[in-house]
Amino acid sequence: MSIAMERNTVLLDRVSFTARPGTLTAVIGPSGSGKSTLSRAVAGIERPTIGTVSFEGRDVHTQNVLVGNRIGMVPQDDVVHGQLTVAQALEFAAELRMSADSTTIERRQVIASVLEELGLTALSNTRIDVLSGGQRKRVSVGVELLTSPSLLVLDEPTTGLDPALDRAVMAMLRRLADAGRVIVVVTHSLTFLDMCDQVLLLAPGGKTAYCGPPGELKSTMQAADWADVFDTVCADPDGAQRRFVASREPQPDIVVRHAPVPVAGQRESTHAPVWRQVSTIARRQVQLLSANRPYLLFLAVLPFIVGLLPLTVIGQAGLGQPPADGAPPFEAKHIVALTSFAAILMGTTLTVRDLVGERAIFQREQAAGLSATAYLLAKIAVFGAVAVLQSAILVAVVMAPVFGKPGPADAAALGGPLFELFVGVAATCVVAAVLGLAMSALARTGDQVIVLLAIALITQLVFAGGYIPVTDRPLFETIAWLMPGRWGFAATASTADLTNLVAGIADDSHWQHTTSAWMFDMAMLGALAFGFAAIALWRVRPRQRR
């Protein structure tokens, strides 16, 4: 099997080995030798340019639908949410991964079996973020065991663990192999290779330097210790490959042979329907929010804090008719601008770190059958509900009877002025939340998210039209069409009848106190929400690998 990337960079060069039931295979080698690439190829994630990976007689890439659920993959990063308990993580994973017609009782039986096999029963009600590194890795393995895979691939599961935890993880893998599974583990740790049945040594450039029993590796390589082994393959990777090929019979491409064994309580795998995936992800998101109490407190306090911004505006007229004694003429405009900006701020900060923060978890769940559409819809539903609640608090603070500002005199479209004001603010906050998801999907790291958030908030403030006019300025007006701040401000301005309320303000047709103007503003918010969701979906959907 060979894997190449663009510009003819070879990642794996004619790697070939066979793994049989009940065996534990370790893949070792210096950095840059293609170990992680090999693990992803065996799991069906990376597709070979030349050659095949076959499992139970089927090509794992061309027949992934048939064998995908029989292969488990544990990446380097932990693929479980730290805020959940062990039992909760497995329950949500079972709903997503087990067959669509499995019952609650069947799923719980499988979870109990997995917990017992991995020695996690006593920790089932413990939050994952307080577990040791080895225990967290066992939880990640447990997620994969829910579908009873015949092949389990692990990419450096002992990285960052102390020697005792390293040994515990390798001992666990040995037990899993002895139960009849095929285990392939990529590892930098060389201390406990004697627990393995075979070792595959890769040289730089993804070339096979050795494949056989661990006890014969040093003698075959004519090395006294592991440093000599690695020095040898790094100094002459082509020579190491030639000597290996000459020393053995021609081998087939990677083959994993295993006769499927039916598991009680499980049926032939069919992924859960989209509606059930949406329900599962939404309930998990609610659980994650409620379990993170400091963040939940922040979300509850934020609308009270940002609600104070419009209250700093000088004047007592609010969004009602200004008094005849010459009170500040721009009070209403400033209230509308700050309220709209507060909604944008709440929405974007609510979601901007979410997708990038759990990218590793989502990518593994996606490989196991999670629909990107279901994932995104669940996120929008939960965060949208939170945004609506925050908006209700925001409007209540700004328009509070005792210390707040007077509300609009009448509505443009919905009959009740305060209700219409709330709908406009809530719609703005929800669209901003979807914008936050799009930015989170575009960002590669958490640091990039901060930069994108700052840019987004500045542009919303500039192009909203409240402080810097955008009408009759072709470039500004064109850019403003893509800004939710522009249409959130316009909807609130329409409700407040800002054009007639503030003398000398720009004559913007989208601020008119009419049903058609308000509905158009809301329709633009809806269109932008759809567009931002499409961007996020485009980014989270799997890329076709060659």
Side-chain angles (χ1 to χ4, degrees):
M1 178 189 70
S2 299
I3 289 182
M5 293 183 67
E6 294 179 2
R7 299 181 182 177
N8 298 320
T9 301
V10 178
L11 302 180
L12 293 176
D13 182 14
R14 294 172 291 170
V15 176
S16 181
F17 74 98
T18 298
R20 292 183 171 81
T23 61
L24 173 57
T25 299
V27 181
I28 64 173
S31 298
S33 58
K35 301 185 297 297
S36 293
T37 301
L38 177 63
S39 70
R40 293 168 64 83
V42 172
I45 301 173
E46 295 277 1
R47 185 167 188 167
T49 310
I50 302 172
T52 60
V53 180
S54 60
F55 171 68
E56 297 180 347
R58 298 186 177 98
D59 189 309
V60 302
H61 298 96
T62 61
Q63 297 178 286
N64 184 264
V65 174
L66 298 176
V67 302
N69 218 38
R70 306 288 296 171
I71 301 175
M73 172 69 184
V74 181
Q76 295 183 32
D77 299 323
D78 289 330
V79 288
V80 285
H81 293 89
Q83 300 94 329
L84 301 178
T85 66
V86 174
Q88 288 171 340
L90 294 182
E91 286 169 3
F92 287 124
E95 288 187 40
L96 293 173
R97 296 184 179 218
M98 291 180 62
S99 59
D101 57 350
S102 61
T103 65
T104 301
I105 294 177
E106 290 172 340
R107 290 196 296 270
R108 289 178 178 173
Q109 289 174 343
V110 172
I111 291 171
S113 176
V114 169
L115 289 172
E116 182 178 359
E117 183 175 13
L118 297 177
L120 293 172
T121 302
L123 300 172
S124 61
N125 294 321
T126 304
R127 276 179 52 135
I128 294 172
D129 55 7
V130 303
L131 299 177
S132 68
Q135 290 169 334
R136 288 198 301 272
K137 191 59 64 176
R138 276 192 277 163
V139 177
S140 295
V141 172
V143 170
E144 300 301 323
L145 294 183
L146 291 171
T147 55
S148 189
S150 303
L151 168 63
L152 185 62
V153 183
L154 302 97
D155 188 4
E156 301 193 27
T158 60
T159 298
L161 303 184
D162 60 48
L165 291 176
D166 184 358
R167 180 176 60 187
V169 171
M170 292 300 292
M172 173 193 68
L173 298 181
R174 180 69 265 174
R175 291 193 303 271
L176 294 176
D178 291 339
R181 300 181 182 89
V182 181
I183 308 294
V184 178
V185 55
V186 173
T187 181
H188 277 297
S189 176
L190 308 175
T191 308
F192 304 106
L193 289 183
D194 57 340
M195 294 185 184
C196 302
D197 298 289
Q198 68 174 347
V199 174
L200 173 64
L201 172 62
L202 296 180
K207 305 175 188 297
T208 306
Y210 174 84
C211 186
E216 300 177 9
L217 193 156
K218 293 179 183 177
S219 60
T220 301
M221 301 296 296
Q222 299 179 350
D225 54 31
W226 289 112
D228 288 341
V229 170
F230 279 45
D231 284 343
T232 299
V233 298
C234 289
D236 186 13
D238 292 328
Q241 185 185 49
R242 284 194 302 269
R243 289 189 294 272
F244 168 74
V245 173
S247 68
R248 65 185 302 182
E249 297 292 330
Q251 297 291 312
D253 288 320
I254 296 175
V255 177
V256 179
R257 295 189 178 90
H258 193 282
V261 179
V263 179
Q266 290 196 259
R267 303 174 176 84
E268 191 67 25
S269 173
T270 56
H271 297 313
V274 171
W275 66 265
R276 196 172 91 175
Q277 292 184 354
V278 171
S279 172
T280 300
I281 297 298
R283 286 185 288 106
R284 185 178 70 181
Q285 189 62 54
V286 171
Q287 183 63 45
L288 290 171
L289 289 174
S290 61
N292 192 345
R293 293 183 179 178
Y295 183 59
L296 192 63
L297 178 62
F298 166 76
L299 294 180
V301 172
L302 182 60
F304 289 98
I305 296 176
V306 297
L308 297 176
L309 294 176
L311 300 184
T312 63
V313 178
I314 298 175
Q316 302 299 322
L319 299 182
Q321 292 297 325
D325 60 359
F330 294 106
E331 178 188 359
K333 185 187 77 169
H334 293 159
I335 293 173
V336 171
L338 289 174
T339 302
S340 178
F341 181 74
I344 294 288
L345 178 64
M346 289 192 305
T348 51
T349 55
L350 175 63
T351 59
V352 74
R353 299 184 66 90
D354 186 73
L355 298 186
V356 69
E358 61 176 39
R359 181 164 293 158
I361 298 174
F362 167 69
Q363 288 176 344
R364 180 59 204 131
E365 291 178 334
Q366 188 178 53
L370 174 61
S371 163
T373 302
Y375 177 75
L376 198 59
L377 285 176
K379 293 285 186 179
I380 293 174
V382 173
F383 287 121
V386 174
V388 170
L389 290 175
Q390 288 184 315
S391 300
I393 297 173
L394 172 64
V395 172
V397 170
V398 175
M399 301 295 161
V402 178
F403 57 85
K405 298 288 187 177
D410 59 358
L414 299 184
L418 282 181
F419 177 70
E420 183 176 294
L421 180 67
F422 158 70
V423 171
V425 172
T428 304
C429 192
V430 170
V431 176
V434 182
L435 171 61
L437 289 174
M439 292 190 294
S440 189
L442 290 170
R444 296 183 180 274
T445 65
D447 293 337
Q448 290 183 1
V449 160
I450 303 301
V451 177
L452 291 176
L453 177 60
I455 294 174
L457 292 177
I458 292 172
T459 54
Q460 299 309 312
L461 189 61
V462 170
F463 291 101
Y467 291 107
I468 300 176
V470 297
T471 54
D472 299 323
R473 304 176 74 180
L475 179 60
F476 275 50
E477 196 163 8
T478 301
I479 297 175
W481 274 75
L482 303 176
M483 302 294 164
R486 154 74 157 150
W487 303 107
F489 179 92
T492 308
S494 174
T495 298
D497 195 11
L498 195 63
T499 303
N500 295 321
L501 200 60
V502 179
I505 200 170
D507 185 16
D508 192 321
S509 62
H510 302 300
W511 298 354
Q512 297 299 315
H513 190 63
T514 62
T515 300
S516 59
W518 188 86
M519 293 297 293
F520 183 84
D521 297 336
M522 297 298 290
M524 285 302 303
L525 286 172
L528 288 177
F530 182 83
F532 296 144
I535 292 173
L537 183 61
W538 166 70
R539 285 293 298 171
V540 301
R541 276 190 170 174
R543 301 291 188 268
Q544 182 66 34
R545 295 186 180 272
R546 298 285 302 178

